[in-house]
Amino acid sequence: MIITFRIIMASYNRRSLTLSVLSQLRKLETSTIRINVTVCDDSSTDGTADAIRLAFPEVQVIDTPGELFWAKSMHLADVATANDNYDFLVWLNDDTSLMDDAFDKVLLEYEKLQVANCILVGALLDPVTKLRSYSGCTHEEVDGRIHLESISPKGFPVAIGMFNGNFVVIPKEVRQFVGPISSKFRHGFADMEYGYRAKHKGVKTYLMSDYVGYSEINPLYSFHLNPENSRWSRIRHVLSKKSYHPIDYLRFCLIAFRFRGIRIYFSNMRRKIKHAFNGRES
């Protein structure tokens, strides 16, 4: 029996990284695992799209006019492959290096769970520190604040509510039921929104039992907490498209928390701006 994984990725000006990931994916195919890849290139200026077409003619490349960022690029790739014949849709970041048995782990995980209609999230390690870089999150709401805790694999599947979109596995039936990655976000929040949307529809999400690959943590995540950066640049970063953009974050809060979203939005935005102003968490 052949299992088909449809990989979708967004790329922008990381030609060497993107080509490295594609080369690795080609090697991960076996007699029972087929891997088809679609890359949405957000108008890279370093020749990424042409390099992919030359080195990997089997990969579907979608060109955009630019300025779509991660979420909208992934949405285009998701929609473009919706009618393809595959068993699992996989979100994969183009800076992620997968372990050789990553897809074997996915199939084993579904056997453990004995649940076909659930989403799996694979945790990643920093290649240098070997510490967790991306994963799934547990969360709770206290006094209008969202408290997130990124967790490490426990050796068994763990139910989660939110996740990073670096390595996410979605059975085709679940993709058809939950829908595509949202196009309403510029960059972030689309992965977190998908987790909440799936939860609202009764679809469970699990963090896989073990790590599946490696990826460096994005240094921009802590930019607003670095006092060496100017106060104005810290605040501007928090409000940027790649961080807590006010419109995107409001949209996320309303979708995820519904009638509680407004209160959560203002509470957390005020806290983020305060942290950026001080250059530290408080």
Side-chain angles (χ1 to χ4, degrees):
M1 180 179 179
I2 298 177
I3 303 297
T4 301
F5 292 92
R6 164 55 76 177
I7 314 291
I8 58 174
M9 301 188 335
S11 65
Y12 179 70
N13 280 355
R14 297 198 292 197
R15 181 173 60 181
S16 60
L17 284 175
T18 305
L19 295 178
S20 177
V21 170
L22 292 175
S23 178
Q24 182 190 39
L25 288 174
R26 181 185 276 174
K27 295 175 182 177
L28 293 184
E29 280 200 309
T30 68
S31 58
T32 57
I33 293 178
R34 179 174 297 152
I35 298 174
N36 298 325
V37 185
T38 295
V39 178
C40 185
D41 184 72
D42 196 25
S43 196
S44 292
T45 58
D46 66 351
T48 297
D50 290 338
I52 294 173
R53 291 187 175 98
L54 180 63
F56 303 94
E58 72 276 14
V59 172
Q60 178 187 14
V61 180
I62 300 173
D63 296 305
T64 81
E67 293 295 315
L68 294 190
F69 296 91
W70 182 84
K72 290 181 182 290
S73 295
M74 290 291 283
H75 172 81
L76 281 183
D78 193 337
V79 171
T81 59
N83 295 322
D84 289 0
N85 183 23
Y86 62 79
D87 298 291
F88 299 99
L89 179 70
V90 179
W91 304 357
L92 182 66
N93 267 22
D94 68 345
D95 61 350
T96 298
S97 174
L98 293 176
M99 296 175 180
D100 291 343
D101 59 350
F103 294 105
D104 292 321
K105 288 179 178 178
V106 168
L107 298 178
L108 180 60
E109 209 77 351
Y110 279 108
E111 288 183 18
K112 288 181 184 178
L113 288 166
Q114 296 185 341
V115 178
N117 60 340
C118 65
I119 298 171
L120 292 183
V121 175
L124 304 174
L125 291 164
D126 185 282
V128 177
T129 66
K130 298 301 188 289
L131 298 176
R132 181 188 68 241
S133 54
Y134 296 99
S135 184
C137 299
T138 59
H139 72 280
E140 60 179 347
E141 179 193 341
V142 179
D143 297 330
R145 293 185 179 182
I146 306 171
H147 297 269
L148 304 177
E149 181 183 359
S150 179
I151 60 174
S152 300
K154 306 294 185 183
F156 53 86
V158 177
I160 55 177
M162 278 178 36
F163 51 81
N164 299 127
N166 303 66
F167 183 85
V168 181
V169 183
I170 308 171
K172 186 167 187 179
E173 295 77 9
V174 173
R175 159 58 182 82
Q176 292 174 330
F177 179 59
V178 178
I181 301 172
S182 177
S183 63
K184 296 178 180 179
F185 300 92
R186 292 164 173 77
H187 185 69
F189 300 112
D191 46 5
M192 293 191 292
E193 184 274 336
Y194 201 88
Y196 277 107
R197 195 191 332 158
K199 181 180 179 180
H200 289 324
K201 288 177 173 284
V203 176
K204 293 185 177 180
T205 301
Y206 294 91
L207 180 67
M208 293 175 59
S209 302
D210 198 3
Y211 289 98
V212 298
Y214 302 90
S215 181
E216 292 184 26
I217 192 72
N218 191 333
L220 288 178
Y221 288 168
S222 58
F223 182 93
H224 68 292
L225 300 177
N226 186 349
E228 294 183 1
N229 299 320
S230 71
R231 177 170 289 167
W232 169 239
S233 67
R234 297 196 305 263
I235 294 174
R236 186 173 57 187
H237 173 71
V238 164
L239 302 177
S240 71
K241 294 176 181 179
K242 290 193 173 184
S243 188
Y244 279 76
H245 188 278
I247 296 176
D248 283 356
Y249 187 50
L250 176 59
R251 182 177 287 116
F252 166 72
C253 287
L254 292 175
I255 292 173
F257 305 108
R258 298 177 179 177
F259 65 91
R260 298 172 298 158
I262 295 293
R263 177 167 56 88
I264 292 173
Y265 170 78
F266 282 107
S267 174
N268 284 290
M269 282 299 295
R270 183 169 57 249
R271 182 164 54 94
K272 287 291 181 182
I273 293 174
K274 179 181 177 182
H275 291 169
F277 185 85
N278 295 326
R280 58 182 174 82
E281 292 184 339
S282 58

